[in-house]
Amino acid sequence: MGQKRKRGQAGNAVQYITRNQALKKLQLKLSEFRRLCILKGIHPREPKKKTQGANKTYYHLKDINYLAHEPLLVKFRDAYAYEKKIRKAKAKKNRDLAERLLARKPKHRIDHLVKERYPSFVDALRDLDDPLTMVHLFATLPAEKALSIPAKMVHASRRLAMEFQAYVVRTNALRKVFVSVKGFYYQAELMGQAVTWLVPHNLAQMLPTDVDYRVMLTFLEFYQTMLQFVNFKLYHMLGLKYPPVMDARLEQAAAGLAAIMQDLAKPAIQAGAAEPASGAANPDAAKRLKTLPQKLKELQQAEVSGAEPMEAGNDADVAGGLAEDDEAEAAAEDSENEELGDIDSGPTSVAGGAVGVNVDNDAEVCEKLFAGLVFFLGREVPREQLLFVIRAFGGTAAWDGEGSPLSENDESITHQVVDRPTQGHRFLSREYVQPQWVFDSANFRVLVKPELYAPGTAPPPHLSPFTGPDEDDYVPDYLQELRKLQEAAKAARLRSQGLEQDRFVGEEDEVAAGAGPADADVDSVEAAEKQYAAELTRELQAANADEAEQTSDEDNEGEDEQQLIVPKAAAKTDEAAEEEAAMKNILMPRKTKKLYDSIQKTRSAKRARVEKLQQKKQALASARKKQ
Amino acid sequence: MGSKRNARAETKLVEQAEASSDSELDAEELYLSSDDDADAAVGPAPEDGSTSDDADDESEEGSEQDSEEEGGSLDDELDRAVVDYIADRGGTDDPAETSGRPPGEPGEAEVAETRPVDPGSDSSEDERPNRNTIGNVPLQWYKDEEHIGYDKEGSKLIKRERRDRLDALLARNDSGKEWRTVYDEYNDEEIVLSKEEMQLIQRIRAGQFPHIEVNPYEPEVDWFTRETEIHPLSSAPEPKRRFIPSKWEEKKVVKLVRALRKGWIKREKKDESEEPPAYLLWQDDGMVAEKTATGLSYIPAPKPKLPTHEESYNPPKEYLPTEEERAAYELQEEEDRPQFLPQAFDSLRKVPMYSNFIQERFERCLDLYLCPRTRRKRFDIDPESLVPKLPKPRDLQPFPSALMLRFRGHKGKVLSISVDPTGQWLASGSSDGSLKLWEVRTARCMHTWALGGPVHCTAWCPNNALRILAAVVDKKVVLLPSGTGTEEVEAAAVQALKLTPAASEGDSKLAHWQARDDGQGVDIVHQHLVKSVTWHGRGDYFASVAPTGNTQAVLVHQLSKQATQNPFRKNRGRVVRVAFHPAKPFFFVATQNHVRIYNLAKQALAKKLIAGGGITSLAVHPTGDHVIVGSEDKRLAWYDLDLSAKPYKALRYHTYALRSVAYHRSYPLFASSSDDGSVHVFHGMVYQDLLTNPLIVPVKILRGHERVDHEGVLDCAFHPTQPWIFTAGADGDVCLFCN
């Protein structure tokens, strides 16, 4: 038997040290330690045994040693010494020296920390929520000197936010939008990772004084660096140049996203160039498209020269040019839509532009949802947010103000997004909707009924897309309606897919006829089977939908009667069951019983919540009836 | 008007100030006291005016004119009233008033005459010529004299006749000036204050500048500005050195130029605010590192909860709080209440800024770097999987499930019940001192014995040939012939209970056997209060428990020999219950925390079961291999004697202490009764093979008794042949539950 071990020689006692011990070890002030921890991503850990007391924060010794070897630590010490020099110069009223020293202040970089903390790109994407939210917040903050928020940081935040949004638009990665009381929640899917961020409403933020902005700025420093590299990587993967050049004119016109998108080669235009078929439908449009790059070049040159008198003219030119482009696109897409519309005009309105896409491929549906729709944003709607959403879902947007690609009078506009109760002039050719229409349509991948969102009326409730079907047992009425719509849209998409398959089969046949009859037969049989299966499913769904509607009405009457009878009979069995359940609990071990009870408690609380909501709904409905 | 009244009340003014050149006061303080003081002050002194005690006073010089200066140097607490300045003004500025003065008051006219004012004069001395020349001496010195002092000529100033109060009142009513008349004690004269002076006083009292002309808020003239002027203040000619190039400067320039040439000094590019360029940081993808650079596992911060419908700017109506909920929210403490209430806006443009946004982000930041992180396993358990898989109670029938009969008749709590071996009769003992015999089928009371004390325990003798009933009353164990059997049985019982002379005279140290008074049955009188009695399976031996009996707590009696013996010599704790093994020579003794099992044949301890929690009851399984114990800590413990000293199952389901436990003699049933008024019936199947553990299944909860005085069901007993159970309640009833 070996010697008895002494206390505090192994285990938690030596693996973990308290914060104060860490400070002493690193010879740092608390503020410096905090800064270093934030940048390095070191956080306290929870030891199994708190050897120094329960009310202390513990750091792992390895973490602290890791900090001790950080080159940044030395840099910070140097910076501190340098600060002292400046202070001294200032105290001695040696202004020149102080200025010179300030100008030559050593800078530090934290690129290596990003790589250290996120060894792979996916890691970084997973942790992108907080950086994005923070950067979006600071993009809207004023550069307050009293709170030491430097203007540079605010500008950088804005730029990074715009760049990221531009990427999301470019790749149509946006999946969910939610307008909450707090702000706009967005969820995008990047490389299979769901990235969620929150953008405050477009209003002046109130800067609370009881917040330590230094902490937030330290976080922001890291987040900006991280986001910069993430953006670079994202752009790199698309083969785009980073950083993108912002269009100063559009930026001035407060159309930030558009300013960047100008630089990113427009996906719609590229697509148009790549697909001669769509251009062929409208030769005039194709011609215009060909001239587009030239025009763009002219535009850029004009901006570089920056001649003021020229600008007015150019503006008009640009607006005209862009308008033409969009017209051309719209026309091309319209023609497509017409083709489809001839066959099945009804469901297309629900499915939006996303017809002929794989229903199961959410990305494809998202990409094409607003395809062919041209939105005009009123002055009073949050332009940046709507622009982002509309473009991310494949739509075209113009706005009331400088830099808009289309004027309000343009014929191609299909939807006008307004948020004021009355309109001066109404175009009969377009739908007038509230901004919520865009968000709801995007969330549920359908074009919801625009009549419900008519300006001046109270829109239907705006539902969170983040509650899954199983998460919340309570389903609001409007969600049920939306789900029906979704089904309809899905059916429409499936149908259109079936049509394409039809065409495909026909072509195959023609080709196969030349190649060999045996192969062709096999292929055609398979195809036919597929088609048949698809048709069957379609019919089944349609039938189901009809039945569901019919039976729901009938059931309601029958159910009422049944419900009256059931409770009496159920009461006894309920009691017996309850007693049985109570007796079963008796034999549970104490730990299990506690666990069981706690689970039951949360379940019952959830149930109670749902019940309460249902009761409220009924009360509201009855109140409405009385009125 | 109010201010005027105040002014009237004040007649005595003390002024301490220096009068400025044009008779303005720079600073003054006025001390005002009541009218009566002034009346009381009468004042000449025998001593001469020059005897002043204030060394530094100017009036010390002795000159008549100087005395007015005293105002500036007088201490505040000086009791003298000086109204020089005012006297001066009062006498001169208001000629109308002076002329209007009645001739009966010559003093004032004199005052007016004696004080000419030279408006051009700069001196403050001119303004207040005193009539009196006594100087700065206490006025008490002249208190008893006829004169108040001396005038300039040296002749005495005779005191004026004092007005009595009536006169004063009349004067006050007659003239409008009386309220602003002030008596100057020093000069023995009355001064009428002018309106301007009254204003002066009022302004001082209001804490304002005394003179209305003084403007405290004059625009500041910044004579000495911070800004450097371009023109020199001095017109001195520039010195020559200003025009000659500096030698030292030249040297320095040369030095700098050289340094620049040689590259010692590098010129910084001023505007280098460009962001450091980004580059491709991550080369390859798909690799996910589990460990961080420290070698510790990476614990990602938990993501904040995603918003639900509640957070929407336009949530469904049912999510909005009602009035009551809103009120409740307001009432809650700020820390307790949820972060926000759902709100609805009918249009997006009406959504206001969320004021807590930055705060929340800040808190998130704090969480990120301050919160200790650990990995917690989250169990997603189906609660139904936690419920033990047990057979359904209806598959385990028969068991008592319904209340069949209620035996009513006891006036107190029914403390104990016992069913006779045939199952035809039931005996119940109550706290009212009665022992009743019931017929089970009819619930009819066949016999009642009044035993004269609460019957804590009853027990039928298992020997069917005797049909004797044992009961415990106070210190006695009473053996009674039940009178339920045939004549032969009756006779046998009487025979058995007939005391032998040896017994009655025998050793009375432990217990004394004696015949009952009515001749029926036997009393065994113990030395301590007896609480329970139990029979051995054959019906010859029975044991009694007297918990307070110390070493004599357990006594074993033999009916046939009518003898008593004490099996234990040592006290092992307070004995609560005892029981005989149904087949083997084992004896169970339950103390408060343990159950000891003694081998009677070997006279040794065979096993000790650990219970704890205050045992109240004990029952032995008919096979003798299992024991259930009920205790005060609401626990029922099942012991398998073959397994260990710890319970095989400890069940806690009653909400109050257990009162009794019982096994069924033939069916696999056992039951427990508790003070919560319920009886739990269990299916307790014991298997013959030793490998299978007993199966315990709760089958029924019986509720038929009400709680009285925090006591519920005090005893329970199974029917010997049927799956029925009898329960004795504190409410005075005995219930029979049948299947």
Side-chain angles (χ1 to χ4, degrees):
Chain A
M1 190 178 151
Q3 265 193 329
K4 198 187 170 190
R5 285 215 179 147
K6 275 188 188 169
R7 266 172 75 88
Q9 302 274 340
N12 280 336
V14 288
Q15 271 175 343
Y16 291 94
I17 58 174
T18 63
R19 195 182 58 185
N20 271 347
Q21 283 173 329
L23 289 182
K24 213 170 248 181
K25 189 180 164 84
L26 296 173
Q27 300 187 7
L28 285 175
K29 286 194 290 187
L30 185 57
S31 56
E32 293 163 346
F33 177 69
R34 181 179 65 204
R35 192 171 167 209
L36 210 58
C37 279
I38 291 170
L39 292 178
K40 291 275 280 180
I42 302 290
H43 52 80
R45 285 167 196 265
E46 192 92 340
K48 277 185 189 129
K49 263 188 207 166
K50 295 186 170 178
T51 47
Q52 307 282 324
N55 55 350
K56 290 189 167 141
T57 37
Y58 289 85
Y59 287 87
H60 201 282
L61 192 67
K62 277 186 180 171
D63 279 336
I64 297 302
N65 287 339
Y66 182 54
L67 280 187
H69 290 94
E70 173 60 41
L72 216 53
L73 190 69
V74 185
K75 287 244 170 92
F76 283 162
R77 287 205 181 113
D78 291 348
Y80 184 65
Y82 199 84
E83 282 284 333
K84 268 201 286 194
K85 275 188 196 168
I86 298 173
R87 245 181 289 148
K88 211 181 216 172
K90 272 183 183 162
K92 288 186 174 174
K93 304 235 165 73
N94 195 347
R95 203 191 285 167
D96 291 344
L97 181 63
E99 261 171 29
R100 201 166 69 235
L101 286 172
L102 260 176
R104 299 179 57 189
K105 214 169 165 185
K107 281 172 187 153
H108 59 266
R109 301 199 57 176
I110 47 175
D111 312 354
H112 65 288
L113 293 182
V114 179
K115 179 79 191 206
E116 253 175 31
R117 282 175 67 170
Y118 305 107
S120 74
F121 184 54
V122 179
D123 287 336
L125 284 183
R126 272 183 202 162
D127 257 11
L128 210 57
D129 293 9
D130 285 313
L132 280 175
T133 308
M134 193 72 139
V135 161
H136 275 92
L137 168 65
F138 269 85
T140 62
L141 284 192
E144 186 81 40
K145 214 170 191 188
L147 303 170
S148 63
I149 303 173
K152 228 168 100 186
M153 292 275 242
V154 174
H155 288 310
S157 296
R158 170 123 187 104
R159 186 176 56 79
L160 289 168
M162 286 295 114
E163 284 168 9
F164 184 78
Q165 285 188 10
Y167 173 82
V168 169
V169 167
R170 170 70 203 266
T171 53
N172 301 100
L174 192 65
R175 293 289 173 271
K176 285 167 184 176
V177 200
F178 179 52
V179 189
S180 91
V181 178
K182 294 181 180 175
F184 293 84
Y185 282 90
Y186 294 110
Q187 192 171 62
E189 201 179 303
L190 304 176
M191 296 180 69
Q193 303 291 330
V195 178
T196 316
W197 72 98
L198 172 61
V199 181
H201 287 292
N202 276 355
L203 294 161
Q205 283 289 335
M206 208 167 61
L207 294 164
T209 46
D210 54 344
V211 162
D212 190 350
Y213 288 93
R214 284 173 303 169
V215 173
M216 293 184 86
L217 284 170
T218 316
F219 269 102
L220 185 67
E221 186 190 354
F222 179 76
Y223 285 161
Q224 282 186 349
T225 316
M226 176 184 168
L227 201 58
Q228 194 183 0
F229 286 105
V230 168
N231 281 352
F232 186 94
K233 174 82 182 170
L234 289 173
Y235 276 64
H236 180 82
M237 287 194 306
L238 281 189
L240 296 171
K241 185 178 154 281
Y242 185 87
V245 181
M246 264 204 209
D247 186 337
R249 188 179 55 86
L250 281 172
E251 175 69 9
Q252 281 277 306
L257 189 63
I260 286 194
M261 286 311 292
Q262 198 86 349
D263 182 59
L264 301 189
K266 286 161 202 68
I269 293 164
Q270 276 190 341
E275 290 170 8
S278 66
N282 192 344
D284 198 9
K287 253 187 213 170
R288 282 185 197 161
L289 277 175
K290 273 177 197 167
T291 54
L292 182 78
Q294 209 180 338
K295 265 188 180 161
L296 276 174
K297 261 182 198 170
E298 281 173 15
L299 202 167
Q300 276 173 350
Q301 278 169 0
E303 271 166 16
V304 168
S305 65
E308 276 187 350
M310 287 286 287
E311 231 172 69
N314 267 340
D315 273 5
D317 231 345
V318 168
L322 285 173
E324 275 170 11
D325 300 344
D326 280 333
E327 261 183 292
E329 278 170 49
E333 273 153 354
D334 274 355
S335 65
E336 272 181 13
N337 281 351
E338 273 169 76
E339 276 179 20
L340 292 169
D342 287 342
I343 297 149
D344 196 2
S345 60
T348 332
S349 61
V350 175
V355 280
V357 297
N358 186 3
V359 179
D360 301 324
N361 190 350
D362 200 23
E364 215 173 316
V365 174
C366 285
E367 194 182 328
K368 296 251 175 87
L369 183 67
F370 289 155
L373 303 185
V374 182
F375 294 83
F376 187 83
L377 311 180
R379 206 153 41 85
E380 66 282 354
V381 298
R383 181 197 299 170
E384 210 162 277
Q385 329 291 0
L386 279 167
L387 209 59
F388 177 47
V389 175
I390 290 169
R391 288 194 163 197
F393 282 89
T396 320
W399 56 90
D400 190 2
E402 207 184 325
S404 168
L406 298 175
S407 71
E408 193 176 352
N409 304 324
D410 201 288
E411 283 297 309
S412 63
I413 291 168
T414 57
H415 289 78
Q416 183 142 357
V417 185
V418 286
D419 201 2
R420 52 182 131 181
T422 51
Q423 313 303 322
H425 174 73
R426 282 185 80 111
F427 292 89
L428 292 174
S429 60
R430 55 183 85 157
E431 300 280 1
Y432 281 75
V433 289
Q434 293 192 32
Q436 197 192 320
W437 183 88
V438 178
F439 301 128
D440 281 354
S441 299
N443 281 337
F444 293 96
R445 320 274 192 262
V446 291
L447 298 191
V448 287
K449 285 176 202 159
E451 304 89 62
L452 292 174
Y453 297 85
T457 58
H462 181 54
L463 300 172
S464 167
F466 297 110
T467 47
D470 53 331
E471 263 176 60
D472 208 350
D473 296 335
Y474 180 72
V475 181
D477 289 345
Y478 190 57
L479 189 57
Q480 285 169 349
E481 270 179 48
L482 284 173
R483 282 191 184 151
K484 270 184 205 163
L485 264 184
Q486 266 180 317
E487 283 301 314
K490 205 174 174 186
R493 278 163 203 160
L494 275 173
R495 222 169 301 159
S496 64
Q497 224 180 341
L499 279 170
E500 278 183 6
Q501 271 183 355
D502 267 350
R503 227 179 278 160
F504 183 69
V505 170
E507 282 166 13
E508 277 279 291
D509 278 348
E510 282 170 14
V511 174
D519 286 354
D521 276 351
V522 171
D523 279 356
S524 66
V525 165
E526 275 179 9
E529 268 175 8
K530 267 188 198 169
Q531 187 193 353
Y532 180 63
E535 273 172 5
L536 261 184
T537 50
R538 219 183 310 141
E539 275 170 25
L540 267 177
Q541 273 170 347
N544 280 345
D546 288 349
E547 268 178 38
E549 276 172 25
Q550 284 177 356
T551 48
S552 65
D553 293 346
E554 287 166 13
D555 280 353
N556 283 342
E557 290 168 15
E559 269 171 27
D560 286 348
E561 286 168 18
Q562 277 181 346
Q563 274 173 351
L564 287 174
I565 306 159
V566 167
K568 283 175 196 165
K572 259 192 182 175
T573 50
D574 264 8
E575 234 171 68
E578 248 175 59
E579 202 182 77
E580 233 166 79
M583 286 192 299
K584 270 181 180 172
N585 287 1
I586 288 172
L587 279 180
M588 272 189 222
R590 196 162 30 164
K591 261 188 190 172
T592 322
K593 200 189 273 179
K594 265 187 189 170
L595 183 64
Y596 181 79
D597 284 350
S598 68
I599 293 173
Q600 292 293 4
K601 203 176 162 191
T602 52
R603 285 198 171 185
S604 66
K606 203 173 179 185
R607 229 173 292 135
R609 205 178 134 264
V610 171
E611 251 167 49
K612 201 177 167 192
L613 285 173
Q614 270 158 354
Q615 277 173 5
K616 263 188 181 176
K617 191 167 80 179
Q618 278 175 359
L620 282 169
S622 62
R624 212 174 299 143
K625 263 185 195 172
K626 270 179 198 170
Q627 281 176 3
Chain B
M1 193 60 204
S3 63
K4 276 187 180 175
R5 265 197 203 129
N6 285 339
R8 185 186 294 180
E10 297 135 7
T11 55
K12 192 171 174 186
L13 295 166
V14 176
E15 174 223 343
Q16 262 192 317
E18 292 169 9
S20 74
S21 58
D22 22 32
S23 67
E24 276 181 8
L25 293 177
D26 281 336
E28 43 195 330
E29 290 173 46
L30 294 174
Y31 293 83
L32 308 167
S33 70
S34 78
D35 189 315
D36 300 18
D37 291 283
D39 285 346
V42 199
E47 261 98 29
D48 144 353
S50 60
T51 53
S52 165
D53 8 16
D54 287 15
D56 56 331
D57 205 331
E58 287 150 284
S59 63
E60 207 181 325
E61 315 279 46
S63 82
E64 302 97 328
Q65 298 293 327
D66 283 346
S67 58
E68 70 267 37
E69 280 293 332
E70 75 217 330
S73 58
L74 268 182
D75 289 331
D76 289 350
E77 53 277 350
L78 206 65
D79 195 26
R80 222 183 92 188
V82 181
V83 226
D84 310 298
Y85 169 74
I86 290 165
D88 169 38
R89 302 291 297 259
T92 52
D93 288 1
D94 211 354
E97 281 172 14
T98 347
S99 59
R101 199 167 283 160
E105 294 172 19
E108 279 175 44
E110 268 177 26
V111 168
E113 282 163 17
T114 50
R115 298 197 193 166
V117 167
D118 177 10
S121 169
D122 227 23
S123 164
S124 59
E125 294 169 8
D126 294 1
E127 291 159 15
R128 343 183 228 184
N130 274 329
R131 192 160 72 106
N132 199 350
T133 59
I134 55 170
N136 189 16
V137 294
L139 290 180
Q140 285 109 308
W141 292 353
Y142 293 90
K143 199 176 167 190
D144 302 326
E145 302 295 325
E146 282 184 335
H147 59 284
I148 57 157
Y150 307 90
D151 63 5
K152 285 175 192 168
E153 280 76 38
S155 52
K156 284 181 179 174
L157 288 171
I158 304 300
K159 269 186 194 165
R160 283 196 310 164
E161 201 182 319
R162 302 293 301 150
R163 286 195 301 181
D164 60 3
R165 295 205 171 200
L166 191 62
D167 286 339
L169 181 70
L170 286 174
R172 207 176 296 160
N173 286 337
D174 288 348
S175 84
K177 277 175 266 167
E178 189 63 21
W179 65 273
R180 50 187 165 100
T181 309
V182 176
Y183 175 67
D184 177 10
E185 205 182 345
Y186 187 77
N187 292 319
D188 188 28
E189 54 192 30
E190 284 183 336
I191 302 156
V192 179
L193 302 180
S194 71
K195 279 180 185 162
E196 289 75 27
E197 282 160 350
M198 285 313 296
Q199 270 177 3
L200 211 68
I201 292 167
Q202 279 166 11
R203 284 181 67 81
I204 288 165
R205 297 193 69 217
Q208 293 163 329
F209 279 92
H211 291 279
I212 203 156
E213 310 87 69
V214 176
N215 179 12
Y217 306 111
E218 273 180 4
E220 192 202 28
V221 183
D222 198 4
W223 297 111
F224 305 101
T225 57
R226 262 169 263 100
E227 288 122 35
T228 44
E229 301 291 336
I230 47 164
H231 297 295
L233 282 175
S234 89
S235 56
E238 287 281 296
K240 189 184 174 188
R241 63 175 178 277
R242 302 263 164 90
F243 300 98
I244 306 169
S246 164
K247 186 178 153 195
W248 305 109
E249 266 180 19
E250 192 193 349
K251 279 190 171 178
K252 196 155 198 180
V253 167
V254 167
K255 219 172 165 182
L256 283 171
V257 167
R258 189 187 297 142
L260 277 170
R261 275 195 189 140
K262 301 232 170 180
W264 298 334
I265 297 178
K266 275 176 194 145
R267 289 193 64 197
E268 292 284 329
K269 275 168 209 158
K270 185 85 178 174
D271 196 15
E272 211 189 8
S273 59
E274 266 182 43
E275 281 294 302
Y279 51 89
L280 195 60
L281 194 68
W282 294 281
Q283 294 293 339
D284 50 350
D285 291 328
M287 293 206 308
V288 181
E290 262 309 297
K291 297 255 176 183
T292 53
T294 54
L296 300 168
S297 62
Y298 174 61
I299 308 173
K303 295 199 170 178
K305 254 190 177 176
L306 288 172
T308 55
H309 303 317
E310 273 182 350
E311 254 186 66
S312 168
Y313 88 96
N314 178 19
K317 292 281 175 289
E318 54 268 27
Y319 281 88
L320 295 173
T322 56
E323 288 294 319
E324 298 102 62
E325 282 167 342
R326 202 178 288 278
Y329 179 83
E330 295 297 328
L331 282 176
Q332 272 178 326
E333 289 283 323
E334 215 160 294
E335 287 122 22
D336 302 339
R337 59 165 79 144
Q339 280 210 331
F340 79 107
L341 276 181
Q343 284 173 289
F345 303 93
D346 54 358
S347 159
L348 186 57
R349 73 171 189 282
K350 289 180 185 163
V351 181
M353 189 259 303
Y354 182 62
S355 57
N356 266 358
F357 198 98
I358 296 180
Q359 190 73 41
E360 277 177 14
R361 283 329 295 169
F362 177 60
E363 271 157 25
R364 172 76 181 164
C365 286
L366 290 188
D367 285 350
L368 286 176
Y369 89 93
L370 280 180
C371 279
R373 295 187 201 166
T374 45
R375 276 187 191 278
R376 286 249 165 79
K377 271 182 198 158
R378 276 188 110 196
F379 298 106
D380 198 15
I381 303 170
D382 177 24
E384 293 316 308
S385 70
L386 297 172
V387 178
K389 299 278 168 290
L390 292 173
K392 294 248 159 150
R394 63 166 174 274
D395 301 337
L396 302 172
Q397 274 166 349
F399 54 82
S401 55
L403 176 63
M404 196 50 85
L405 285 175
R406 212 176 252 280
F407 301 77
R408 285 210 167 113
H410 279 298
K411 290 190 182 69
K413 298 167 189 168
V414 184
L415 297 177
S416 61
I417 47 174
S418 173
V419 195
D420 95 301
T422 60
Q424 203 177 344
W425 305 97
L426 173 74
S428 65
S430 160
S431 62
D432 61 5
S434 64
L435 175 70
K436 282 182 189 279
L437 183 71
W438 312 83
E439 197 185 20
V440 170
R441 301 246 170 214
T442 56
R444 197 173 146 209
C445 178
M446 300 303 287
H447 199 286
T448 305
W449 290 274
L451 297 180
V455 183
H456 283 293
C457 187
T458 57
W460 280 91
C461 174
N463 187 353
N464 234 348
L466 292 175
R467 307 198 67 77
I468 289 173
L469 194 56
V472 168
V473 183
D474 295 338
K475 290 184 176 180
K476 293 179 292 188
V477 174
V478 183
L479 299 179
L480 295 164
S482 65
T484 54
T486 56
E487 279 178 21
E488 294 155 26
V489 173
E490 290 288 310
V494 168
Q495 186 59 37
L497 294 177
K498 196 174 183 187
L499 282 182
T500 54
S504 55
E505 290 163 16
D507 173 24
S508 63
K509 245 186 191 174
L510 298 169
H512 181 60
W513 291 62
Q514 64 182 39
R516 279 182 63 82
D517 298 338
D518 56 359
Q520 298 256 318
V522 176
D523 283 349
I524 306 167
V525 184
H526 291 57
Q527 301 200 338
H528 304 280
L529 280 175
V530 186
K531 284 289 178 187
S532 80
V533 62
T534 12
W535 287 90
H536 183 257
R538 292 221 187 102
D540 192 18
Y541 288 99
F542 59 100
S544 64
V545 177
T548 53
N550 222 342
T551 52
Q552 295 178 15
V554 182
L555 295 181
V556 178
H557 313 276
Q558 193 178 8
L559 184 61
S560 56
K561 288 187 183 165
Q562 297 184 347
T564 300
Q565 50 180 320
N566 182 5
F568 304 114
R569 255 176 235 128
K570 263 190 191 167
N571 175 16
R572 304 264 183 198
R574 194 184 158 95
V575 179
V576 182
R577 284 290 160 103
V578 292
F580 288 98
H581 193 283
K584 292 175 190 163
F586 284 110
F587 190 53
F588 298 83
V589 179
T591 56
Q592 275 178 313
N593 292 329
H594 301 284
V595 178
R596 287 188 173 78
I597 305 164
Y598 293 96
N599 189 335
L600 295 175
K602 287 182 185 166
Q603 303 258 324
L605 179 69
K607 191 152 195 164
K608 188 170 138 189
L609 307 177
I610 299 157
I615 295 175
T616 55
S617 50
L618 169 84
V620 183
H621 194 264
T623 60
D625 292 339
H626 302 270
V627 175
I628 48 173
V629 166
S631 53
E632 272 170 7
D633 62 354
K634 309 170 222 171
R635 212 166 60 137
L636 176 116
W638 174 295
Y639 293 88
D640 190 339
L641 297 184
D642 298 330
L643 283 176
S644 87
K646 281 180 183 162
Y648 156 66
K649 274 267 154 63
L651 310 173
R652 200 190 283 257
Y653 48 89
H654 279 299
T655 46
Y656 288 96
L658 267 74
R659 276 312 184 107
S660 73
V661 289
Y663 272 114
H664 198 282
R665 203 190 279 175
S666 47
Y667 284 100
L669 292 173
F670 70 93
S672 69
S673 75
S674 151
D675 274 343
D676 61 10
S678 69
V679 177
H680 282 242
V681 182
F682 291 81
H683 175 87
M685 176 60 97
V686 173
Y687 298 98
Q688 287 303 313
D689 58 333
L690 292 169
L691 291 172
T692 319
N693 281 328
L695 171 74
I696 300 173
V697 184
V699 288
K700 190 70 193 170
I701 302 167
L702 301 171
R703 293 175 206 279
H705 294 284
E706 279 169 24
R707 295 189 73 213
V708 177
D709 296 345
H710 306 289
E711 287 179 323
V713 185
L714 301 178
D715 201 2
C716 65
F718 277 104
H719 193 277
T721 54
Q722 298 292 329
W724 299 349
I725 191 168
F726 298 90
T727 57
D731 54 357
D733 289 355
V734 177
C735 290
L736 168 63
F737 293 93
C738 293
N739 54 331

